[in-house]
């Protein structure tokens, strides 16, 4: 495009040196936990023949997407915490936006597919092998990645055609779409509504589908298997907590116009750092098969 801006300045998480060291230590430990936890899940699923059902295939893909999502943000954030001036080239900023939204949107669609898988397994157990065959499972995974790619490509195409002539300061620790688009020297009335529909509306719809599926599951189990209702309620509650941690900030950030948009650095931490760290805990600690497989793998390693 015809922008005069060739780089952006990221304000980061803090400008206090002592706080930056503390934040570096905390987020480095969080990043290591995300990598170790999700890599262990992937290895456990790939090496144990008993974990070959569609549920574990979807879980394996979720772990891979968590690694991708946090790896787009965390390494650069950690480096920026160690340096005074935090610059990012225009092309690098666009690339960061693309890969973050590719991984994030694909994860949204995958969580929705996992909810459908749980609904089929619990509410339609006799037809589960037909409804969720391996072929159907791979088709769902491919559709999730394709949907994430189209979503991310739309955001990037809407952004790169905007002219940027200054200022070039982003009040965040990464290139977030609303804050970058706000810096454009153009009328954003149409662009921001298109982005809100492409980002916030998709997040809201996926979250509502997830919520509806859990309600159907709980109603079905309460009517048929009263003795396992409270255990399932506890499991669904923990799943919904981590899902809300991921979807809530996305809906809050992207489902409103970008004009007069405040800094959202603290809200962004929930889906860029904390949610990828919580997923391995929530989706494995309540699963006996995965825990047993990971324990065997750990002893073998």
């Amino acid at each position: 495009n015809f922008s005069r801006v060739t780089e952006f300045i990221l304000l980061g998480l803090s400008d206090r040196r002592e706080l930056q060291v503390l934040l570096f230590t905390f987020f480095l430990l969080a990043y290591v936990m995300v990598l170790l936890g999700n890599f262990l899940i992937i290895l456990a699923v790939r090496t144990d023949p008993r974990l070959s059902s569609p549920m574990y295939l979807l879980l394996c893909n979720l772990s891979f997407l968590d690694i991708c999502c946090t790896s787009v943000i965390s390494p650069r954030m950690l480096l920026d915490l160690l340096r005074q001036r935090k610059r990012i080239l225009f092309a690098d900023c666009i690339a960061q936006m693309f890969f973050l939204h590719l991984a994030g949107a694909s994860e949204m669609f995958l969580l929705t597919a996992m909810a459908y898988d749980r609904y089929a397994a619990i509410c339609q157990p006799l037809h589960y092998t037909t409804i969720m065959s391996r072929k159907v499972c791979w088709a769902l995974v491919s559709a999730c990645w394709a949907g994430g790619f189209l979503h991310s490509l739309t955001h990037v195409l809407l952004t790169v055609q905007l002219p940027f002539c200054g200022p070039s300061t982003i009040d965040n620790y990464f290139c977030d779409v609303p804050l970058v688009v706000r810096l454009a020297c153009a009328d954003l009335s149409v662009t921001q509504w298109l982005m809100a529909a492409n980002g916030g509306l998709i997040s809201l719809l996926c979250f509502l589908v997830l919520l509806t599926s859990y309600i159907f599951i709980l109603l079905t189990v309460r009517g048929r298997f009263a003795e396992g209702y409270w255990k399932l309620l506890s499991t669904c509650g923990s799943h919904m907590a981590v899902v809300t941690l991921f979807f809530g900030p996305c809906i809050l950030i992207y489902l409103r116009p970008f004009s007069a948009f405040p800094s959202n650095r603290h809200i962004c931490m929930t889906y860029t750092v904390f949610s990828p760290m919580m997923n391995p805990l929530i989706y494995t600690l309540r699963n006996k098969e995965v825990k047993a497989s990971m324990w065997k793998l750990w002893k073998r390693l």
Side-chain angles (χ1 to χ4, degrees):
N1 62 19
F2 300 100
S3 299
R4 294 196 296 269
V5 173
T6 59
E7 66 179 17
F8 294 105
I9 306 298
L10 300 173
L11 295 185
L13 293 171
S14 174
D15 54 358
R16 294 170 54 190
R17 187 61 185 168
E18 61 276 10
L19 186 57
Q20 286 181 345
V21 174
L22 183 63
L23 290 172
F24 175 84
T25 305
F26 172 77
F27 285 113
L28 178 61
L29 291 174
Y31 184 50
V32 171
M33 287 178 61
V34 170
L35 294 181
L36 286 178
N38 286 290
F39 270 127
L40 274 175
I41 292 175
I42 293 173
L43 284 174
V45 172
R46 299 295 295 175
T47 56
D48 194 337
R50 295 175 300 174
L51 304 181
S52 58
S53 66
M55 177 179 69
Y56 298 114
L57 177 61
L58 295 173
L59 180 61
C60 186
N61 276 273
L62 177 66
S63 296
F64 179 71
L65 283 170
D66 278 335
I67 292 172
C68 294
C69 189
T70 192
S71 294
V72 173
I73 301 297
S74 293
R76 185 176 186 95
M77 177 183 66
L78 292 170
L79 288 175
D80 284 343
L81 286 170
L82 298 177
R83 52 193 177 195
Q84 194 66 29
R85 193 164 177 82
K86 306 165 181 60
R87 299 181 178 181
I88 183 170
L89 295 176
F90 183 86
D92 294 342
C93 184
I94 296 298
Q96 190 180 61
M97 287 168 48
F98 174 79
F99 288 110
L100 177 63
H101 281 270
L102 171 62
S106 299
E107 184 165 340
M108 285 184 188
F109 297 135
L110 187 67
L111 287 169
T112 308
M114 292 176 71
Y116 172 72
D117 173 74
R118 283 189 290 272
Y119 168 79
I122 296 173
C123 299
Q124 303 288 334
L126 298 179
H127 302 282
Y128 177 72
T129 54
T130 305
I131 296 173
M132 282 297 295
S133 64
R134 199 166 184 83
K135 184 178 179 180
V136 172
C137 185
W138 277 113
L140 286 174
V141 171
S142 302
C144 291
W145 279 96
F149 176 79
L150 291 175
H151 162 84
S152 182
L153 186 64
T154 303
H155 266 323
V156 168
L157 290 178
L158 288 172
T159 303
V160 296
Q161 53 87 28
L162 296 172
F164 294 89
C165 52
S168 58
T169 302
I170 300 175
D171 191 10
N172 210 331
Y173 57 93
F174 70 100
C175 285
D176 195 16
V177 168
L179 297 178
V180 173
V181 170
R182 260 184 61 190
L183 300 176
C185 309
D187 181 16
L188 303 176
S189 55
V190 177
T191 302
Q192 64 183 357
W193 285 110
L194 290 174
M195 287 188 166
N198 184 44
L201 191 59
I202 289 176
S203 304
L204 180 62
L205 289 175
C206 289
F207 181 72
L208 291 177
V209 170
L210 275 163
L211 186 62
T212 304
S213 69
Y214 278 114
I215 291 173
F216 273 112
I217 289 172
L218 291 174
L219 290 176
T220 301
V221 172
R222 188 174 186 176
R224 298 179 186 176
F225 316 104
E227 66 277 2
Y229 176 73
W230 293 109
K231 181 180 179 181
L232 184 63
L233 182 62
S234 174
T235 302
C236 288
S238 60
H239 284 189
M240 281 305 301
V242 73
V243 162
T244 304
L245 192 68
F246 180 75
F247 279 93
C250 296
I251 296 171
L252 180 65
I253 292 172
Y254 296 104
L255 195 60
R256 57 178 174 173
F258 298 159
S259 56
F261 199 88
S263 173
N264 55 354
R265 67 185 78 181
H266 301 103
I267 300 176
C268 293
M269 287 182 193
T270 56
Y271 67 88
T272 58
V273 178
F274 296 124
S275 181
M277 186 170 58
M278 292 297 295
N279 278 344
L281 301 175
I282 295 299
Y283 287 100
T284 57
L285 288 181
R286 293 178 177 273
N287 192 305
K288 294 180 180 179
E289 290 81 6
V290 177
K291 283 194 295 184
S293 180
M294 290 180 67
W295 180 243
K296 287 171 57 179
L297 179 64
W298 180 259
K299 289 195 295 185
R300 191 165 55 190
L301 292 174

